[in-house]
Amino acid sequence: MDVTALWLTLRLATCTTAILLVVGVPLAWWLAQTRWSGRVFIEAIVSLPLVLPPTVLGFYILLATSPQSPLGAALESWTGQRLPFTFWGILLASVLGNLPFAVRPFVSAFASVDRRLLEASWCLGEKRIRTFWRVAVPLAWPGVLTGLVLTFAHCIGEFGVVLMVGGNIPGVTRTLSISIYDNVQALDYVAAGQTSFWLVLFSFVVLCFTYTYGRRGGVV
Amino acid sequence: MGQRQQRLVKRGCRAWLGWWVALLCLIGSGCVFEDSTSESPAKSEQQRARATTLVRVAAAADLKFAFEDLITAFAQQHPEIEVQVTYGSSGNFYAQLLQQAPFDLYFSADVSYAQKLVEAGRADPGSLSTYAIGRIVIWVPQDSTIDVERLGVQALLDPAVQKIAIANPQHAPYGRAAESALRSLGVYSAVESRLVFGENIAQAAQYVESGAADVGILALSLALAPAMADKGRYWPVPQDAYPQMEQGCVLIQGASDPGAAQLFQAYVLGTDGQRVLSRFGFQPPGA
């Protein structure tokens, strides 16, 4: 197995999951609580990567981050780095592509929290933020964890968008799934088979975990 | 304390544990961010022991097997340089290099892509050179019933042929060569509906090697590679049937270590490199 690719993939998945935890939980909490009629648009945007082909996402990310675009130019002058074909580029792609895998379970976890418990907490004089931390989060935690695990696992298997934005550079953007693609083209079926086997095993374990834990949280 | 409350408390503890784990992840990823520009530890330790500079090469997929041999030989002469190659279709690399993909050298299967990079100001004009002439063959697996050596291009018209693998002509020079050979040999319209397109020539080879396609129009260098040589038979397509495949290489502007990259380029163009390439069926430039 390609150790460099494994290490890179784990790094990418960890960073993506961490970012989606920080961004996704508040977003999901808001989506679960708000009665604003426009929320369907936000929900639709969050779920878009589920139905869009990775090529569409990859194409737009390439366009948006290229030095010719205002956004790409601003990012470059600010960070001194160019996003396409770097770890940062595939991280951005992976965060956007995995948004639904994190936010959707989070939303259903928060939505399944008994609203009366939240209201009871508010009536007892607890602040909203404290209610969120002490009542909503503990009750929704299994669902949130499920979302995180799903995100991590999906990220490990991300292929299309990483290939488009990353360009298959060893140690920088060649993740496990891309190294399998490479191995197959090099007719190295043994290496491809080994990596594939471990990915199947890993995904199976993750899904078993999701179904055990997610059921408790009412997510799956 | 009621049962429900107890459960709540228990879940609360679990939640705190969870947030701790999340926090640790964040801290961990913070550290990860800092060294994201450097190589992974597993790799860099190995490298520090052997190589001090890294040359990143974007190479046409027909070089896949030839370059493995060539780089092993180069490493013996220059243990201080590690050559790291990504293989793909020349057209894709061209598009990526225009978008500043971080490669130091570009070995295209079609010199015109390298020329266009120079024109776009992305490559060093002085470094532009032709390193080989590529050839295409019609390839079938060993156990195929088609007698490709005798039939030549007529093999493609055999009723047993359902799928013919070629590289994507839109961005792979070998695909374009295959397409123009099919046209000039007068069989294109007869086989058009049976063509399947690999993303690059190595993928087209994999399609037919695995039996997913019955026949492939491949690079001679792949047909001669150890991984494929004993698995199939081929018929070399006459070179006047398609435009000459001049393969060009160029040094990318802003290479991290231009000196090391030039050393490798010179090695490929030199006698040692050319000997390896000719073993894989490439003709020397100007031949």
Side-chain angles (χ1 to χ4, degrees), chain A residues 127-145:
Chain A
K127 289 200 181 75
R128 278 182 170 260
I129 181 82
R130 210 169 133 81
T131 303
F132 170 75
W133 282 103
R134 301 301 299 271
V135 182
V137 169
L139 285 174
W141 176 246
V144 172
L145 187 63

Side-chain angles (χ1 to χ4, degrees), chain B residues 74-86:
Chain B
F74 178 74
Q76 280 165 1
Q77 279 189 23
H78 296 279
E80 76 283 6
I81 300 172
E82 189 194 334
V83 182
Q84 203 177 60
V85 193
T86 303

Side-chain angles (χ1 to χ4, degrees), chain A residues 3-4 7-8 11 14-15 18-19 21-22 25 62 65-68 81-82 84-88 91 114 117 132-135 137-139 141-142 144 148 163-164 166-172 174 181-187 189 213 216-217, chain B residues 4 8 11-19 22-23 25-26 28-29 32-33 35-43 56 61 64-65 68 84-88 93 95-103 199-200 202-203 205-206 209-210 227-228 231:
Chain A
V3 182
T4 316
W7 170 244
L8 173 78
R11 226 166 57 182
T14 309
C15 293
I19 291 174
L21 175 69
V22 175
V25 165
L62 269 185
T65 58
S66 91
Q68 280 91 33
Q81 257 201 345
R82 211 162 267 175
F85 316 111
T86 62
F87 179 75
W88 296 92
L91 181 62
D114 190 345
L117 293 177
F132 170 75
W133 282 103
R134 301 301 299 271
V135 182
V137 169
L139 285 174
W141 176 246
V144 172
L148 290 179
L163 184 64
M164 266 190 96
N168 190 359
I169 298 159
V172 182
R174 180 182 292 167
Y181 179 70
D182 261 10
N183 285 335
V184 173
Q185 290 195 8
L187 309 178
Y189 295 157
Y213 221 74
R216 240 186 277 169
Chain B
R4 179 159 201 140
L8 270 183
R11 286 211 169 155
C13 294
R14 213 188 294 149
W16 281 115
L17 190 78
W19 285 104
L23 190 71
C25 283
L26 263 186
S29 63
V32 161
F33 279 175
D35 70 3
S36 67
T37 44
S38 67
E39 285 294 298
S40 64
K43 184 115 193 190
R56 292 212 162 113
K64 199 152 207 157
F65 300 99
E68 272 168 30
Q84 203 177 60
V85 193
T86 303
Y87 301 97
F93 280 134
Q96 292 181 351
L97 285 164
L98 279 183
Q99 296 275 342
Q100 320 280 334
F103 291 107
E199 195 257 338
N200 58 60
Q203 191 175 45
Q206 193 267 325
E209 189 266 354
S210 65
M228 289 192 73
K231 288 189 186 153

